[in-house]
Every structure is written in structure tokens, then in C-alpha cells.
Amino acid sequence: MRVTIADVAREAGVSKTTVSRVINAKGEVDGSTAARVREVIATLGYVPSSGAVGLARGSSRTVGMLVPSLTWPWMGEVLQGVVDTVEAADYGLLLFTCNRGAESVERFTSQVSARAFDGLVVVEPENTLDHLTALHRGGLPIVLIDDRGHHPEFPSVVTTNHEGGASAARHLLAAGRTRPLVLTGPRHFGCVRDRLDGFRTVLQTDLVVHGDFTERSGRQAVEQLLAEGAQFDSVFAHNDISAAGVLRALRAAGRSVPDDIAVVGFDDIPMAEHTEPPLTTVRQPTRQMGETAARLLLSHLGGTATPDGPVVLPTELVVRLSAP
């Protein structure tokens, strides 16, 4: 059954006239009331009829954010960066995830049609780039965080994955480690290719296992290689979660870290300080990435042209006891 304006009014505890004013940005509506109405619109999936829609893009003072899932270890920091920036500019935020696949995308698309937000910050869910590109060409301002190597036609904020991989290799080589194992994430991710290429510019290795960024993949890769008698004196894992699995497998096998095998991760999520031993890792400026993407979008909404290429933020090697 189609959701009506009366349903929205009842759920939000306001009159239909107030809902109409929020949709069309006409008349005085208290900011907290307007925010509540927009939240109900998003929750119920209300799509105004063409006759009811008078809301010009750029007048809702709300920004949308689309992400694959909130369970990604560094997503909270990215989200906080976006929230801090949009709230400081007196904008609201509508958050969409793709936990339910096509159903989530359909709900998100209905909010685009309803013009519930002025622009969009995106951490790209799988298989949505073509859809996002079509929305951008249709007039929706979009800024992407970490373009996965796809290099879309709209603005993006990325980090120095290639240099991050190279810095991990330089650190291991300086410590005398010459037989590294590299444990990657999914090979179709641009960041994975960049991290591996950067590492190999400094330290060559043919011992590469493609994983999926999970603790289990890190643990199982090391267990299997040790069982096969593979010889390696260090591990560069492409994220901290899989590096934690590496540490667990090495500890279970009686290998000392870092005396026998040094381990380096990537991301510097809060957990990295609390592994045993604490994890040397390449820090991504995740909160800054969220802040930068939100500022780019708000500047564009204010009439400022966006940069032609991606905005690149630096990584930083953080040395701890797993690879001193």
C-alpha cells in the first residue's frame, strides 16, 4: 500500500500542512520538527506525488550518505567526520546502508526521487557505481570516499594506498626482512592493487595470498602456508582485521612476533593498539576523509566548483611492537 502524506503526519506527530511545508520548503517550520518529518519520510519510504513536490534541490539543508554497511571497522570514523562537518554547517544527515541489497537500493532511490536531500556522500557499495553515475548525470551532486580505483566522473577523496604499501615494505626491508608474505583484500578493489604494487616497488615477493579483509582469511592463510612449509619472515596484511588473524595463527603455531615473523597491517583502526603484540600498521586518515568529502559537497552546494581530480590524503606508518 502506498505511503501517504497523512501517514507521515501521523507518524511524525504533526499536521499534513506541516509535512507539506517541509517537503516544499515553504513557510516557517521549526528545525527539529523539520528534521523529524524528514526522518519519518526516509523511514516510511514516502515519495511525494509530482503535484506535491515543489522542493527544489539545494533547499532541504540535508545531506545524504550511502555506505555498504556500518559494520566495516573504519566506517565509524568516516561517518563521524561527515557528521561533524555537515552539522557545523547547520545541515542534517540522512544515512543509507545497503545491508539488504536491492531492497536497500530501492529505498535509497525513492529518497532521491523525493528530493529528501541536496547531495550525497558515498562509500561505494558493491555494483552501484553505474547507478550513482546516472544519478550524478541527472543532477545529483555526489562525492565519493575511496573510489576503489574506478575513477568516476564525480569528485572523490582517496588516500595514498600505493605509498602506504611502499612504506610498509621499506620498514620491513630496513629491519632485514627479505621474505615477505603479502595478504591482500579482494583483488578487484583498486586499493588492493595499489597497496600491492606499492609494496612490490620496494620489496619483491611472489608469496601473495588474496583474501577478503576478514580475520578468518588472515588466520587461514597463515595456517595453510605454515602447514605447507612456506618460508616467510614477515607479513604485510592489507587491513588490520586480517592482520589480527595472522597474529592469532602465528601465536597458535608457536611463532614469536616479531622475533620469528614481523607483521604489518593497514588502516590503524582502534583495535590495532590492543592486539598482542600491538600492531604496526599504515594509518588511513579515515575521519579526515569523511570531513574532506563533506566539505567538498557543501562547497559545491554553495556554488563552488569541485576539483577535476581526486583529493588525495596521505597515509602514515605507525610503528608498534609487531614490527619494531
Side-chain angles (χ1 to χ4, degrees):
M1 181 179 296
R2 180 182 175 89
V3 178
T4 68
I5 194 171
D7 297 326
V8 174
R10 183 170 54 254
E11 185 69 21
V14 299
S15 68
K16 289 189 291 184
T17 300
T18 298
V19 176
S20 179
R21 285 174 176 169
V22 172
I23 292 172
N24 291 284
K26 293 181 178 179
E28 294 294 329
V29 180
D30 175 74
S32 61
T33 300
R36 184 168 74 253
V37 170
R38 293 190 190 102
E39 183 178 352
V40 171
I41 287 172
T43 301
L44 296 182
Y46 172 62
V47 180
S49 64
S50 58
V53 175
L55 180 58
R57 198 175 296 286
S59 62
S60 75
R61 295 198 68 81
T62 300
V63 167
M65 185 172 183
L66 175 66
V67 303
S69 171
L70 295 178
T71 61
W72 286 19
W74 47 264
M75 191 63 71
E77 284 293 297
V78 172
L79 177 59
Q80 192 63 56
V82 173
V83 169
D84 290 346
T85 303
V86 300
E87 288 187 348
D90 198 28
Y91 272 70
L93 181 72
L94 284 178
L95 179 64
F96 304 91
T97 69
C98 281
N99 289 323
R100 296 185 178 182
E103 179 184 342
S104 297
V105 173
E106 182 179 352
R107 174 64 62 86
F108 161 72
T109 302
S110 74
Q111 297 308 301
V112 177
S113 301
R115 299 185 177 182
F117 50 87
D118 302 335
L120 185 67
V121 175
V122 180
V123 178
E124 181 196 341
E126 285 286 324
N127 303 316
T128 60
L129 184 61
D130 289 346
H131 182 57
L132 293 169
T133 300
L135 291 175
H136 178 69
R137 290 174 179 171
L140 179 66
I142 294 177
V143 176
L144 193 64
I145 297 175
D146 187 1
D147 71 2
R148 298 192 180 178
H150 293 154
H151 309 300
E153 63 188 51
F154 39 85
S156 62
V157 178
V158 301
T159 192
T160 51
N161 286 296
H162 188 278
E163 170 55 27
S167 68
R170 284 194 295 268
H171 182 71
L172 291 173
L173 188 60
R177 311 286 177 162
T178 58
R179 292 175 289 127
L181 158 67
V182 178
L183 176 63
T184 80
R187 66 180 75 198
H188 63 280
F189 281 13
C191 64
V192 166
R193 296 191 297 270
D194 289 345
R195 291 171 194 178
L196 180 58
D197 290 347
F199 189 91
R200 280 175 160 167
T201 62
V202 176
L203 188 54
Q204 279 295 324
T205 181
D206 293 323
L207 192 57
V208 176
V209 176
H210 295 284
D212 60 6
F213 283 149
T214 63
E215 190 274 348
R216 180 181 179 183
S217 72
R219 174 169 43 85
Q220 290 185 336
V222 169
E223 288 173 348
Q224 180 174 341
L225 288 170
L226 291 177
E228 294 172 353
Q231 298 296 311
F232 53 96
D233 60 11
S234 53
V235 180
F236 172 43
H238 277 196
N239 75 334
D240 293 341
I241 293 293
S242 58
V246 169
L247 291 173
R248 180 179 176 185
L250 292 173
R251 184 165 56 250
R255 303 296 180 93
S256 173
V257 177
D259 294 339
D260 297 330
I261 299 174
V263 179
V264 178
F266 206 106
D267 286 338
D268 196 29
I269 61 175
M271 179 204 71
E273 292 186 86
H274 305 292
T275 57
E276 181 55 45
L279 185 64
T280 293
T281 187
V282 179
R283 175 180 293 159
Q284 287 202 93
T286 46
R287 183 173 297 204
Q288 187 182 355
M289 292 169 75
E291 292 170 351
T292 302
R295 281 198 300 270
L296 281 176
L297 181 60
L298 293 174
S299 295
H300 177 66
L301 295 176
T304 302
T306 53
D308 292 333
V311 176
V312 183
L313 301 179
T315 53
E316 175 189 1
L317 184 71
V318 179
V319 178
R320 299 191 181 101
L321 294 181
S322 71

